[in-house]
Amino acid sequence: GAEVVSGCGADLFDLSQPNIDFVAIANGMGVAGSLAETADDFTTQLERALAEPGPHLIEAVLPPLF
């Protein structure tokens, strides 16, 4: 039922404000974390994560939709 969201409801689906440092949160919980700003960064970090045991968080920054 969230296909059409407007007004204040749209804010509930927006993770950009406030700016949340997901990598810091992961690291604070003992989980390896990194930030990928390009597809090449993501590929490199994913390969590294798959080569190591345990959980990993990769925060992938995507360009705005509009």
Side-chain angles (χ1 to χ4, degrees):
E3 292 85 17
V4 179
V5 180
S6 62
C8 293
D11 292 338
L12 298 174
F13 292 92
D14 182 7
L15 295 178
S16 66
Q17 296 297 327
N19 189 16
I20 300 171
D21 189 344
F22 290 103
V23 175
I25 293 171
N27 291 330
M29 295 184 165
V31 174
S34 59
L35 176 69
E37 297 187 89
T38 67
D40 289 337
D41 287 347
F42 182 80
T43 300
T44 301
Q45 293 173 32
L46 181 60
E47 288 171 347
R48 186 177 335 133
L50 293 173
E52 299 174 359
H56 290 75
L57 175 128
I58 301 172
E59 181 178 356
V61 177
L62 303 174
L65 295 175
F66 40 86

